[in-house]
Amino acid sequence: MIQVKSLQRVNPRDVEAPKKFYVQAVSAGKTDLDRLAYLISNQSTVRKADCYAVLEALLHNMMDELREGRIIELGNIGNFQIGVSSDAVETEEEVTSGLVRKARISFRPAKALRDLLQTVDYKKVS
């Protein structure tokens, strides 16, 4: 169950408008690579240390592939890709890599993860 709470915010388009209340998801904690390795090891014949090593190798290789400009397709998990934001210029000739202002890693979840959002329950907490 996903816990949510109310949060009062100002309208960024009209800072003079009265504040309104919105729903915000509340974290129920964190799961790290160590915990994932433990969970996976309990569902297989592979030891936790081996699972952890594979997850670390996955991270290392994802970073290498992203650096090369590749999209990483992780099947039923989704895709990772580097995207950039840049300053605008008037002509194509002015476009250079120096215009990049910010880079980000984009994640596009696969259908199974997107479908998960249709099945979760919500509970308001204070």
Side-chain angles (χ1 to χ4, degrees):
M1 181 164 301
I2 306 298
Q3 296 181 351
V4 295
K5 67 178 182 179
S6 63
L7 182 68
Q8 191 175 27
R9 291 188 183 154
V10 66
N11 182 345
R13 293 183 183 173
D14 184 5
V15 292
E16 300 300 321
K19 292 182 180 179
K20 293 186 179 180
F21 289 88
Y22 298 87
V23 174
Q24 179 176 346
V26 178
S27 169
K30 294 182 181 180
T31 299
D32 59 12
L33 280 180
D34 191 56
R35 170 101 173 123
L36 286 174
Y38 169 79
L39 293 170
I40 293 168
S41 71
N42 283 332
Q43 298 169 346
S44 68
T45 59
V46 182
R47 297 178 66 190
K48 177 183 169 188
D50 297 324
C51 293
Y52 190 82
V54 169
L55 291 170
E56 282 291 333
L58 174 65
L59 173 62
H60 173 80
N61 287 289
M62 284 179 67
M63 292 169 60
D64 286 349
E65 294 300 301
L66 288 169
R67 272 191 201 97
E68 294 297 319
R70 294 186 182 94
I71 296 172
I72 299 172
E73 297 178 344
L74 292 180
N76 290 332
I77 294 174
N79 299 338
F80 293 84
Q81 178 179 6
I82 289 182
V84 296
S85 299
S86 72
D87 294 320
V89 291
E90 297 296 322
T91 65
E92 185 174 352
E93 291 76 26
E94 295 177 87
V95 174
T96 67
S97 59
L99 293 174
V100 173
R101 279 187 291 128
K102 182 178 166 184
R104 66 192 169 283
I105 296 176
S106 300
F107 172 66
R108 290 183 307 281
K111 184 175 182 342
L113 282 177
R114 287 192 318 268
D115 290 349
L116 165 80
L117 298 175
Q118 305 303 316
T119 63
V120 294
D121 295 319
Y122 300 94
K123 175 184 175 184
K124 184 179 177 190
V125 295
S126 53

